[in-house]
Amino acid sequence: MNGCSLAQRLDGRTALVTGSTSGIGRAIAIAFAAEGAHVAVSGRDDARGAATVAAIREAGGRADFVRADLGASADAARALAGEGTRALGGRVDVLVNNAGIFPSAPTAEVDQATFDSVIATNVRGPFFLVAALAPSMAERGSGVIINIGSWISTIGLSSGALYGASKGTLEALTRGWAAEFGRSGVRINAIAPGVTLTDGTAHLQDHTRAMVDATPAGRFGTPEDVAAAAVYLASDDASFMHGSTLLIDGGALTTRA
Ligand code: NAP
């Protein structure tokens, strides 16, 4: 991997990927490392974190695990920014705000604990990570932040109002942060994945199969589909991209059969 003679798009960069013990985040961490980045893998689960790091190292890449519970507090996000920076040798070039939870329930059945944990994990964690890391990126005059939104921020789904609102907020923050930090050389964009098969969504497969079958792609998304978009946004190929949300959904939102 790192011995490859082909140019690697993230050679010499460092990247902190939240929620990279599983699913989309894991695929992004592996794809970034394959492109030459030193990756800080993060999540709450030590065993799955170690497994992601081992997979990257076995392929010849560089990775370290930094444990964090982003649902806990703003301080937990600040601590991850500090520990991630140390693990990466003093600098985070790319931050991916991927960690997220997506409980689905009718509004009248959402209790306060669920409401607070969705907003804490999907919005507060990214907010304080950006607050901790974007200013130093701006001082250096370069950096990339990628927020993982969702197709569900654009359309209403019954039983998905709270989750959709959390992802819509993250996509709105993406535009605000692009305005705030973009002129200092920090590129901030989002990716809105469609239905993507991961550990977290395996139970939704039967429920969404008919909708997915009717899309132009005609299949579920894979974590690697989303990771390919993240590599693009992290790389200099996307140097003209600021404040955008890339829809990677197989055409689910933009077409009808
Ligand atoms: P997943 O397989 O359930 O993985 C979620 C990741 O987030 C795990 O690595 C988990 O790590 C981490 N995480 C959850 N709560 C955390 C917390 N409190 N602190 C730190 N890390 C936490 O989910 P996925 O399907 O890959 O989804 C990844 C992202 O894509 C989410 O933001 C999701 O909303 C978004 N998305 C997914 C889909 C889809 O269809 N899969 C579609 C649109 C958007 P630990 O368990 O180790 O803590």
Side-chain angles (χ1 to χ4, degrees), residues 17-26 42-49 65 67-72 80 97-102 117 120-122 147-152 163 166-167 170 191-202 204 220-221 223 226 248:
V17 183
T18 71
S20 42
T21 57
S22 172
I24 290 170
R26 184 176 198 273
S42 188
R44 296 163 299 182
D45 190 304
D46 294 324
R48 289 193 300 169
F65 179 63
R67 191 181 187 289
D69 180 355
L70 287 172
L80 173 59
N97 283 311
N98 164 78
I101 55 173
F102 30 89
S117 67
T121 310
N122 296 2
N147 298 316
I148 304 299
S150 173
W151 67 294
I152 297 176
Y163 172 68
S166 75
K167 290 300 186 177
L170 188 56
I191 297 172
V195 185
T196 308
L197 283 189
T198 64
D199 286 354
T201 56
L204 299 174
F220 289 100
V226 183
I248 308 290

Side-chain angles (χ1 to χ4, degrees), residues 20 31 41 57 155-156 248:
S20 42
V41 170
R57 290 183 181 169
I155 57 157
I248 308 290

Side-chain angles (χ1 to χ4, degrees), residues 10-202:
L10 304 180
D11 197 22
R13 312 269 170 96
T14 60
L16 169 58
V17 183
T18 71
S20 42
T21 57
S22 172
I24 290 170
R26 184 176 198 273
I28 292 173
I30 289 171
F32 278 13
E35 291 287 350
H38 179 189
V39 181
V41 170
S42 188
R44 296 163 299 182
D45 190 304
D46 294 324
R48 289 193 300 169
T52 303
V53 167
I56 289 172
R57 290 183 181 169
E58 276 161 24
R62 292 186 73 195
D64 293 281
F65 179 63
V66 183
R67 191 181 187 289
D69 180 355
L70 287 172
S73 63
D75 278 348
R78 292 189 191 101
L80 173 59
E83 286 165 34
T85 300
R86 276 189 289 284
L88 294 170
R91 201 182 78 237
V92 176
D93 295 319
V94 182
L95 166 66
V96 182
N97 283 311
N98 164 78
I101 55 173
F102 30 89
S104 109
T107 296
E109 290 173 21
V110 174
D111 59 19
Q112 186 178 332
T114 303
F115 181 94
D116 289 347
S117 67
V118 169
I119 298 304
T121 310
N122 296 2
V123 178
R124 188 182 66 199
F127 186 92
F128 285 101
L129 274 170
V130 169
L133 293 171
S136 44
M137 290 178 177
E139 259 175 45
R140 292 195 299 275
S142 71
V144 172
I145 295 170
I146 300 167
N147 298 316
I148 304 299
S150 173
W151 67 294
I152 297 176
S153 69
T154 302
I155 57 157
L157 282 193
S158 61
S159 299
L162 174 60
Y163 172 68
S166 75
K167 290 300 186 177
T169 301
L170 188 56
E171 291 168 19
L173 285 168
T174 300
R175 294 184 284 273
W177 287 329
E180 187 174 350
F181 298 107
R183 292 180 66 83
S184 304
V186 187
R187 286 194 301 100
I188 303 172
N189 293 286
I191 297 172
V195 185
T196 308
L197 283 189
T198 64
D199 286 354
T201 56

